[in-house]
Amino acid sequence: MARVCLDGSRSAADDAGVLMSPEDPARSAAEAVAAGAASAHVRPRTPCGRASLSPSVVGPAPEAIRARVPVPAGVTTGARTGPGPAARLDRVRSWAVPPGFASVDRHEAGAEEVAAELPARGVGVEAGLRSGTRGAARFAASPPGPRVLGVLAGVTDPAPATVEASARTLPAEPGAAHGRPVLPHGEEGGTWPAARPGPATRAGLEDTLLPPDGRRAGSNARPAAEAVAERARFRRP
């Protein structure tokens, strides 16, 4: 499986393919799915470009993606999407049109409450673990842990020489990760090495603007296609 992560905290100043208008996520996700992606991760934004968990923002983006392509579409509930843990929880509770899944960074304040609330809203939970944090230990001890859809293992090491080993180590930190599927991913220079170890991977303009050939991506379709190709190269006998 390959997932496309559409834009993250990027802006149009970073790359022409970064999403700004409300129609962009659905169009970009459809292009990435045509290139091989099987799911999409989006950070819904207000009209001024700020990440938000407001129901008026969260509802339209995943819904528009699902209307274009029949793949799961999820969002992040990370700290950058709201002013504080209580406010983020309140906004999750106010969703009228929920996304298919949502990632919860387990090292952040309020993560347990958000992870417990999402299933009540009909939203699948993805446990976000980041290297260099206490997220893995907290997830291992978490009562809702076994009920998550999977684990999103974010390796913050950008060094190509060491990131692949980190991508193997992080998912092992919470033991058997409650037996859930693990999706490793890296950032910037570590994106492509982190894509190799597991049976699933992700890529997109959120993680890197540069495919392995070093030329600007220009859209999410190129990273998605490269993620599929990278997995095929790594798994080839």
Side-chain angles (χ1 to χ4, degrees):
M1 185 204 67
R3 174 178 298 168
V4 60
C5 47
L6 296 174
D7 60 350
S9 59
R10 308 282 191 188
S11 72
D14 297 310
D15 191 280
V18 172
L19 317 175
M20 297 304 292
S21 75
E23 297 79 18
D24 281 345
R27 173 189 53 76
S28 189
E31 293 171 353
V33 168
S39 64
H41 175 91
V42 63
R43 186 175 296 180
R45 303 179 185 224
T46 63
C48 64
R50 188 180 72 251
S52 174
L53 291 180
S54 167
S56 63
V57 175
V58 168
E63 189 176 36
I65 291 172
R66 291 192 296 262
R68 289 282 296 267
V69 283
V71 300
V75 302
T76 180
T77 61
R80 285 176 288 186
T81 61
R88 291 199 301 276
L89 183 60
D90 285 344
R91 288 179 179 176
V92 167
R93 287 171 172 162
S94 70
W95 288 348
V97 182
F101 64 91
S103 62
V104 181
D105 290 334
R106 302 313 287 254
H107 66 282
E108 293 182 346
E112 293 295 329
E113 291 78 6
V114 172
E117 178 65 25
L118 286 168
R121 311 298 304 167
V123 181
V125 181
E126 191 170 61
L129 312 183
R130 290 184 67 81
S131 59
T133 74
R134 292 277 299 158
R138 290 178 178 176
F139 174 64
S142 169
R147 299 197 293 273
V148 302
L149 294 175
V151 173
L152 184 63
V155 181
T156 56
D157 180 357
T162 56
V163 67
E164 190 171 332
S166 298
R168 293 181 185 279
T169 302
L170 177 59
E173 289 183 16
H178 294 298
R180 309 314 298 156
V182 176
L183 179 64
H185 72 93
E187 298 176 352
E188 306 302 351
T191 298
W192 304 110
R196 297 172 187 147
T201 189
R202 81 170 209 180
L205 297 182
E206 175 175 338
D207 292 335
T208 182
L209 301 175
L210 301 175
D213 63 11
R215 294 184 293 115
R216 285 270 176 167
S219 75
N220 277 295
R222 281 199 64 210
E226 290 291 349
V228 173
E230 192 75 2
R231 292 296 306 129
R233 284 192 291 269
F234 183 74
R235 295 173 68 87
R236 187 177 298 134

